[in-house]
Amino acid sequence: MTYSAEISRANPSCFVFMIDQSASMVDPIGGGGLQHKHEVVADAVNRLLMELSIKCAKEEGVRDYFHVAVIGYGGTTAAPALGGDLRDQDLVSIGLLADKPLRVENRTRKVPDGAGGLVEERVSFPVWLEPLANGATPMCKAINRSADILTAWIASYPRSFPPIVLNLTDGEANDGDPVQAADRLRRLGTDDGAVLLFNLHVSSAGGASVAFPDTEAGLPDAYSRTLFQMSSPLPPHMRDYAAQQGYSVSTGTRGFVYNADIISLVQFLDIGTRAVALR
Amino acid sequence: MRGSVFSYSAPKLGNSPDECEDAWRISPPLPAGTDEIAGESVRVSVADGASESLFAARWADQLVDRFSSVPLRALQNVTDLLGELDAIGTHWPRVMESYAASRTLSGRPLKWYEERAIGSGAFATLLVVDLCMPASLTPGPDNGYWHAVSIGDTCMFQIRDDSLLAAFPGMPSADFGNNPALVGSSHDDRARLRHHALTHSGPIVQGDDFFICTDALALWFTEQVERGYKPWLILRDLQAIGFSRWLDEARRTGGLRNDDVTLIHVDLW
């Protein structure tokens, strides 16, 4: 249980996104944010998939260091949520995923101009997931679906870096106790460690944003405390990367984020020498 | 200067040879068909492209290509070094434009992730070692010198009389990791680069061995030395042992991390 297995094409890891697409996700996010929860979640997934693709990209394509599942849950179902050519597929390689977004949008971003100012730059932004909100919140069904997918995956890759499951939700499960389902999911694992379950809680409740806490004290409601309890502690090397990015961490730090950005999660993954500018 | 240069390079296990992102040059090039140094000096330039950097191999190649011919003073003071890096960085956008145009012409325009990677820049470590022993001088202990510049964790080890005489940069094994200092293609971090660029020099005599290693092998070498072993005894015999055979064994037994590996051995016999 070391979380030190090499991530490579011969020894890939796995990423499962569970996306809450229930009716309550159409509400606006708390804290004065202008976006709605289902938009925040879709944007987070698209950016995570983009960063994961770029992390694995080389000149002749994206190397298959990861297999990816995107499961949407809403109404009565928990089912594959990707569209287009990837429709209905439980697992796809990151290379295939990178080549098959629904569309690539042109967006602008501000970048340093080298003289102390900022200039606008056009960038490509791939979109795999559209915002969706409908019906009830079968979170337990989604967790169990993830467990089924990962049980088969682990049988094929028993020595790989353990799968990471990221649940993006407002936490209002209504098909049972998600804590028990999460316990079962976290008991799965490879020779290198147990499955890591992380949670991004997008909430209408407001309150201060929280990223990678080591205690549930201070979390605003029962939903956030439940999601914190479901979340895996960060393995030591991920804690180190979180600390490098300015997060306050301890051995109790968990993979839980409340109404905050979770894109840094991709930076917690090791595939080799990091391409970062000097500091 | 009497000596031979032996070069070895291999991709990460599981990758094809053309996926190796290490780049290196020997300058002046060795005469065809021989491994012997012709002249009073030889320069070894090695760059290790960062795994997460999409155009790393291309950038590493640009670096060693340029540094194989820069004036010696660029290895002796950081201001001149930064000037050379500025020149390469200024040229880099044209390299990328040319590449993008060639892709378009071939009917394979850049993918979205390649376009984004161009904006992010490319990154690599760099180590350049220049060995010089003027023939006009009487042989003696102080008549030859090496000069080197380093950014990152590609390392040089100098062996004399069966002992490690110099390691540059002298990194303990604990300092190796996934976040070495890197030369980026963008000009944005040139000021910070000044704090990470190291220069060093030292004497050479006939009989010295130099081993220039990218990080996985440099780490292995350093760990061996820290444990009281003499890793140069094996590396010196790789022509006889066979590099691939030795590398496979070193990786399999767990002593050598799976990564691209480049080794340049300069044997001043």
Side-chain angles (χ1 to χ4, degrees):
Chain A
M1 294 291 197
T2 58
Y3 295 98
S4 61
E6 172 191 273
I7 299 175
S8 64
R9 282 173 292 190
N11 205 39
S13 191
C14 185
F15 229 113
V16 178
F17 296 88
M18 299 192 304
I19 300 146
D20 185 345
Q21 297 178 322
S22 64
S24 60
M25 295 293 286
V26 82
D27 297 335
I29 195 166
L34 297 175
Q35 278 188 300
H36 297 260
K37 290 184 283 187
H38 65 324
E39 295 168 341
V40 171
V41 162
D43 189 60
V45 171
N46 286 325
R47 288 194 299 136
L48 283 162
L49 291 176
M50 178 181 75
E51 293 297 336
L52 203 58
S53 300
I54 291 172
K55 194 177 183 79
C56 305
K58 288 295 170 186
E59 282 188 28
E60 292 306 321
V62 171
R63 294 182 180 175
D64 289 332
Y65 295 147
F66 294 94
H67 298 161
V68 179
V70 182
I71 298 167
Y73 57 99
T76 58
T77 62
L82 294 173
D85 293 344
L86 305 178
R87 185 182 304 279
D88 295 331
Q89 295 195 45
D90 269 339
L91 275 171
V92 295
S93 68
I94 188 72
L96 181 62
L97 187 127
D99 282 337
K100 300 284 186 184
L102 291 174
R103 63 182 180 279
V104 179
E105 297 179 351
N106 286 321
R107 296 188 179 182
T108 57
R109 66 177 177 183
K110 286 188 166 60
V111 295
D113 63 1
L118 295 172
V119 291
E120 281 200 342
E121 178 186 74
R122 187 190 69 80
V123 291
S124 302
F125 188 87
V127 173
W128 288 272
L129 191 74
E130 304 284 11
L132 190 63
N134 180 41
T137 312
M139 190 188 296
C140 296
K141 188 174 280 188
I143 295 172
N144 293 333
R145 176 83 185 242
S146 297
D148 290 344
I149 292 169
L150 291 179
T151 298
W153 188 88
I154 288 166
S156 299
Y157 300 97
R159 287 182 292 281
S160 286
F161 187 90
I164 296 170
V165 180
L166 177 60
N167 183 31
L168 304 96
T169 178
D170 64 5
E172 301 171 23
N174 52 20
D175 67 339
D177 180 4
V179 175
Q180 289 185 15
D183 284 347
R184 286 194 296 274
L185 179 66
R186 290 198 315 271
R187 279 199 289 272
L188 298 176
T190 68
D191 296 346
D192 193 49
V195 166
L196 295 168
L197 172 59
F198 299 152
N199 284 281
L200 169 62
H201 186 191
V202 290
S203 172
S204 302
S209 299
V210 178
F212 307 112
D214 58 4
T215 173
E216 63 185 59
L219 295 178
D221 57 22
Y223 295 124
S224 54
R225 288 189 286 276
T226 297
L227 290 169
F228 174 84
Q229 291 160 18
M230 291 163 56
S231 301
S232 301
L234 291 184
H237 78 284
M238 290 191 176
R239 283 203 306 270
D240 291 344
Y241 286 128
Q244 286 172 21
Q245 295 191 20
Y247 297 107
S248 176
V249 297
S250 73
T251 53
T253 295
R254 297 203 188 192
F256 171 80
V257 167
Y258 174 80
N259 277 359
D261 199 344
I262 199 166
I263 200 72
S264 56
L265 178 60
V266 174
Q267 294 305 319
F268 298 172
L269 303 168
D270 271 326
I271 61 165
T273 302
R274 287 158 182 271
V276 290
L278 296 169
R279 281 178 286 199
Chain B
M1 177 186 282
R2 294 190 316 278
S4 299
V5 182
F6 305 103
S7 53
Y8 311 91
S9 197
K12 182 175 181 172
L13 185 66
N15 288 0
S16 61
D18 63 352
E19 291 176 334
C20 181
E21 294 174 308
D22 291 349
W24 53 272
R25 294 281 191 286
I26 311 297
S27 54
L30 302 177
T34 177
D35 51 36
E36 292 190 16
I37 299 166
E40 298 180 348
S41 68
V42 66
R43 180 177 296 178
V44 178
S45 307
V46 178
D48 178 353
S51 312
E52 290 190 8
S53 170
L54 196 153
F55 295 105
R58 202 171 286 268
W59 174 239
D61 198 63
Q62 290 280 311
L63 287 173
V64 297
D65 202 51
R66 175 88 181 195
F67 273 86
S68 65
S69 61
V70 300
L72 184 61
R73 63 177 181 275
L75 311 187
Q76 294 171 311
N77 78 73
V78 172
T79 300
D80 284 330
L81 167 70
L82 295 182
E84 295 296 341
L85 292 175
D86 267 341
I88 307 171
T90 300
H91 180 61
W92 178 248
R94 291 201 290 278
V95 174
M96 286 289 90
E97 286 165 15
S98 172
Y99 175 69
S102 72
R103 286 279 301 269
T104 302
L105 278 173
S106 67
R108 296 180 301 120
L110 294 183
K111 302 279 183 64
W112 66 265
Y113 46 83
E114 294 172 300
E115 289 178 352
R116 293 203 60 125
I118 287 177
S120 304
F123 297 87
T125 68
L126 177 68
L127 177 72
V128 186
V129 183
D130 191 284
L131 308 175
C132 182
M133 193 178 292
S136 58
L137 296 177
T138 305
D142 299 322
N143 59 4
Y145 274 89
W146 60 267
H147 296 272
V149 63
S150 158
I151 298 164
D153 55 8
T154 297
C155 298
M156 179 211 82
F157 304 96
Q158 181 185 15
I159 310 301
R160 182 178 299 170
D161 298 331
D162 201 29
S163 296
L164 178 62
L165 181 66
F168 176 70
M171 294 171 57
S173 59
D175 284 0
F176 286 82
N178 281 339
N179 287 296
L182 299 167
V183 184
S185 57
S186 160
H187 290 269
D188 295 344
D189 60 357
R190 285 289 174 271
R192 288 184 286 275
L193 200 54
R194 181 177 290 278
H195 305 294
H196 294 272
L198 303 173
T199 61
H200 201 28
S201 63
I204 61 174
V205 297
Q206 294 294 157
D208 286 355
D209 284 289
F210 287 81
F211 297 97
I212 293 104
C213 316
T214 49
D215 62 321
L217 186 58
L219 172 60
W220 173 85
F221 193 110
T222 302
E223 288 174 334
Q224 294 285 307
V225 170
E226 289 172 351
R227 292 170 190 162
Y229 300 130
K230 297 179 176 178
W232 51 87
L233 296 179
I234 294 174
L235 299 186
R236 193 183 276 155
D237 284 344
L238 285 180
Q239 287 288 303
I241 297 169
F243 176 64
S244 296
R245 183 178 154 206
W246 174 79
L247 186 64
D248 289 347
E249 181 65 21
R251 284 172 170 167
R252 192 167 45 246
T253 56
L256 186 67
R257 195 179 71 211
N258 186 22
D259 196 358
D260 295 341
V261 170
T262 293
L263 166 66
I264 312 294
H265 173 203
V266 182
D267 176 6
L268 301 180
W269 39 267

